[in-house]
Amino acid sequence: MALAGMLGTGIPAMAHETGACGDDLEADRPEARALAARRVEWTEKGANPRSWREVKVLGFNDFHGQLSPRTVGTRPAGGAAVLASYLKAAQAGMEDRTVIVHAGDHVGASPPASALLQDEPAISFLNLLGNAHCSSWWRMNPRCNLVGTLGNHEFDEGRAELLRLLYGGAHPEGPFLEDPYRGTTFPYVSANVVDARRGEPLLPPYVVKMLRGIPVGFVGAVTRTTPRIVTPAGVAGLAFEDEAVAINRAVAKLKRQGVRAIVVTIHEGDRMTTYEGPTNPDLPGPGGSIADIVERLDDEVDVVVSGHAHSFTNALVKTSTGKTVLVTQAFSSSTAYADISLKLDPFTRDVVAKSAAVYTTWADAGPGLTPDPKVAALVKRAEDAVAPLVNRVLGTSAQDITRTVSPAGESALGNLIADAQRAKMGTDFAFMNPGGIRADLDAGAITWGELFTIQPFANDLVRMDLTGAQVKTVLEQQWSDPARPRILQVSGLTVRYDSSLPSGSRIVSVRKGGVELDPAGLYSVTVNSFLAGGGDGFVELLNGANRVVGPVDLDGLVEYVLGFEGEPVSTTIEGRISQVN
């Protein structure tokens, strides 16, 4: 096992940062989890139930390599072994007519037990869910019970590593737990990711499963915003088409094959902040959201398993022609799954009734009391492999230091990270994208593993020079996506903004030491390589002069914590960022 290089002071080349996904704070509310378990139902009018054949789809999303148990509120939940136990219990007696589907971001932004092993254990976990018909030599087998699709995080390390993870092959830092590594035993499908030069799909757009003698099509897609939220190198040579257009093209091919029952698994979604019964189509979000996509889908689509928002969805949503589509999303990180029941008419081979509930994978109740032993053994091997590095204590924290932001968008943890990056590169300012801060720092001992979980992407730090005018432009680009403003965490300067002003003129003041920046003056700035490449829409950073590439961002944070030399680390929200309106 080639772990020697990882167990020193550095980390292996791994995922680049993306800023799209963030945990939904509603997800930790017990009442939200209880409401999610209500079943939503739809039945075709006039349908005769006597001949129906029931099949199941079990959907989950945004696993993010969450092999180990975690908590929801104050209760233990999730982890791969617990999730596996729930999924197996949910299909008991229906194993030959159940398909397990995931909606992307299965890897990337992962805890160390998966990430330090190139997320191979996360794929191995999925393989353990497969039936006897799943194999690496015939992934498209219609009787295999697994289907996956791509999320934006699958592109963190680029096309070559993505394809290696799916189809097998040795990694330069490997072998890890599996030797040789063979990739998946089931298909990943994606209709809207295309090789830009050849115009051909990167992966099969769909797969057909035979369930109780009836063909059921599964079409995959990923948010078309992926190029804006993944480092440019990660998507080089690829095009991301409009989701609905690409899905409908695949559906047309399925229809020509006589397939009438169709499930879409897509890495795009919204947050349902309230639950108002079985027919709540009011999913928020302008163009690109799941509601917009569903509205434009072919009427042959019956179910959409969604993701990306790390939240809950269980709704009956209408297409533009009035077709009712069942849309689900099961929170994130192994803590829930969608239990979807489909009733098929053997004569029309179409879905005539459908229902879903989103169940939390509590570890202290039900199937969670008996975690799957094979998956648990895999998790232990992964945790043991990385333990020497992960458990190294670097310092202590006087209090919880969290990502929770002020009304203006400033967080204590963001301040800590930005300060660490500015100190490491010796610059006037530092900017940190909030999507790159993946966890909170708890009070008490600070371990290497905790800091890795907070910053898991192995971005390089980049020093550059910007004029005062360019700094202001960078800050204006916090609203480059009006639907999802991204307020940068800052060090070395104070910022005031007015979000009610027109785009391009929202920054009211930018000061260094209380003095307004000189538009023509030159200032040194530190950002990570994701931002330096124009990620999250901060394209002005591409114009930075005199670039110098420094160490990995995590190494800078580790060094900064060690610099407290036994004194507790302490930081607060200081008013570095404020808003007028």
Side-chain angles (χ1 to χ4, degrees):
M1 182 178 298
L3 280 173
M6 299 183 193
L7 301 180
T9 59
I11 60 176
M14 292 178 44
H16 289 81
E17 209 289 325
T18 69
C21 302
D23 289 326
D24 181 3
L25 297 180
E26 292 280 317
D28 281 345
R29 295 173 57 243
E31 56 268 36
R33 293 291 181 140
L35 291 172
R38 292 181 180 179
R39 186 161 288 271
V40 168
E41 299 179 331
W42 172 90
T43 302
E44 183 178 282
K45 292 181 179 179
N48 182 358
R50 286 183 295 180
S51 61
W52 293 351
R53 298 178 183 178
E54 182 179 9
V55 302
K56 269 198 173 188
V57 175
L58 303 178
F60 66 98
N61 53 277
D62 299 278
F63 181 75
H64 287 293
Q66 189 65 50
L67 301 174
S68 306
R70 54 174 300 172
T71 60
V72 170
T74 60
R75 292 180 64 184
V82 167
L83 175 60
S85 182
Y86 273 88
L87 294 176
K88 290 186 177 181
Q91 60 184 308
M94 297 183 63
E95 290 87 352
D96 62 338
R97 41 192 158 132
T98 299
V99 178
I100 299 171
V101 175
H102 83 72
D105 274 10
H106 188 74
V107 301
S110 305
S114 185
L116 291 179
L117 308 177
Q118 285 298 126
D119 277 316
E120 289 181 13
I123 297 296
S124 298
F125 156 60
L126 286 176
N127 289 341
L128 287 174
L129 298 176
N131 61 21
H133 303 287
C134 301
S135 67
S136 56
W137 59 271
W138 188 15
R139 293 181 175 89
M140 303 296 282
N141 188 330
R143 298 178 68 188
C144 172
N145 66 327
L146 296 173
V147 178
T149 197
L150 303 173
N152 53 285
H153 277 284
E154 271 78 7
F155 296 91
D156 283 344
E157 294 191 61
R159 180 201 310 213
E161 175 59 10
L162 161 62
L163 295 178
R164 185 198 73 82
L165 200 59
L166 299 188
Y167 297 124
H171 187 272
E173 298 289 340
F176 302 113
L177 304 186
E178 186 179 331
D179 185 14
Y181 175 69
R182 293 186 173 87
T184 70
T185 60
F186 61 94
Y188 266 68
V189 293
S190 187
N192 71 321
V193 183
V194 176
D195 183 290
R197 182 176 60 86
R198 295 182 298 170
E200 298 176 355
L202 179 68
L203 299 177
Y206 60 84
V207 65
V208 177
K209 301 295 184 182
M210 293 301 296
L211 302 174
R212 300 199 70 183
I214 299 173
V216 180
F218 292 82
V219 181
V222 63
T223 174
R224 65 177 181 267
T225 67
T226 296
R228 298 206 302 266
I229 55 179
V230 172
T231 187
V235 293
L238 298 173
F240 291 76
E241 299 179 332
D242 178 278
E243 305 95 337
V245 171
I247 291 168
N248 289 343
R249 184 170 59 239
V251 169
K253 293 179 180 179
L254 286 168
K255 288 162 67 175
R256 288 196 291 270
Q257 299 173 37
V259 179
R260 300 286 310 281
I262 297 176
V263 176
V264 169
T265 175
I266 180 171
H267 193 71
E268 181 58 281
D270 287 307
R271 290 177 169 88
M272 287 181 69
T273 55
T274 59
Y275 186 95
E276 299 175 1
T279 55
N280 176 16
D282 300 322
L283 300 177
S289 71
I290 198 66
D292 169 72
I293 294 167
V294 171
E295 182 183 22
R296 297 183 290 123
L297 289 181
D298 187 294
D299 279 357
E300 210 62 71
V301 173
D302 300 288
V303 176
V304 171
V305 178
S306 71
H308 192 45
H310 290 205
S311 190
F312 158 70
T313 303
N314 193 11
L316 298 169
V317 182
K318 299 289 188 180
T319 68
S320 60
T321 60
K323 170 68 181 285
T324 299
V325 179
L326 176 62
V327 183
T328 68
Q329 183 178 185
F331 297 104
S332 66
S333 302
S334 76
T335 65
Y337 70 97
D339 186 300
I340 303 166
S341 172
L342 302 180
K343 305 293 179 58
L344 307 178
D345 186 315
F347 302 103
T348 66
R349 303 201 293 187
D350 204 355
V351 174
V352 289
K354 51 197 172 187
S355 68
V358 174
Y359 296 123
T360 296
T361 54
W362 301 115
D364 58 0
L369 295 172
T370 54
D372 183 90
K374 289 185 178 179
V375 176
L378 168 69
V379 173
K380 186 177 187 306
R381 289 180 63 206
E383 291 175 337
D384 289 348
V386 303
L389 178 58
V390 168
N391 296 332
R392 178 187 170 199
V393 176
L394 306 173
T396 62
S397 175
Q399 70 278 324
D400 292 344
I401 302 175
T402 75
R403 298 165 290 170
T404 304
V405 296
S406 69
E410 177 185 349
S411 74
L413 187 53
N415 288 346
L416 178 71
I417 293 171
D419 287 347
Q421 295 182 354
R422 182 164 70 100
K424 183 62 181 177
M425 300 300 285
T427 54
D428 295 316
F429 311 138
F431 298 133
M432 176 63 194
N433 51 314
I437 306 173
R438 306 302 295 196
D440 297 328
L441 183 62
D442 296 333
I446 301 173
T447 65
W448 187 95
E450 287 179 289
L451 297 188
F452 178 91
T453 301
I454 290 167
Q455 284 197 279
F457 298 102
N459 284 310
D460 293 327
L461 295 179
V462 180
R463 174 189 173 121
M464 64 179 68
D465 292 335
L466 298 174
T467 66
Q470 286 179 300
V471 169
K472 183 175 183 296
T473 299
V474 169
L475 294 170
E476 293 286 0
Q477 289 173 347
Q478 293 174 126
W479 294 272
S480 60
D481 182 351
R484 294 176 179 173
R486 293 180 171 90
I487 303 301
L488 293 170
Q489 305 301 290
V490 303
S491 178
L493 73 165
T494 57
V495 182
R496 294 180 71 216
Y497 68 87
D498 185 344
S499 58
S500 69
L501 294 174
S503 177
S505 60
R506 290 172 173 153
I507 300 300
V508 175
S509 172
V510 186
R511 296 182 177 182
K512 177 178 185 269
V515 178
E516 199 72 22
L517 296 195
D518 177 0
L522 205 60
Y523 302 90
S524 57
V525 177
T526 299
V527 296
N528 60 42
S529 50
F530 170 70
L531 286 175
D536 272 354
F538 291 98
V539 294
E540 183 60 33
L541 291 170
L542 293 168
N543 299 320
N546 304 317
R547 293 182 173 228
V548 176
V549 177
V552 169
D553 52 7
L554 177 60
D555 287 349
L557 183 57
V558 167
E559 183 177 306
Y560 192 72
V561 170
L562 289 171
F564 281 81
E565 297 180 340
E567 293 296 319
V569 175
S570 180
T571 187
T572 61
I573 294 174
E574 304 170 359
R576 299 180 186 185
I577 306 168
S578 58
Q579 60 180 333
V580 177
N581 288 309

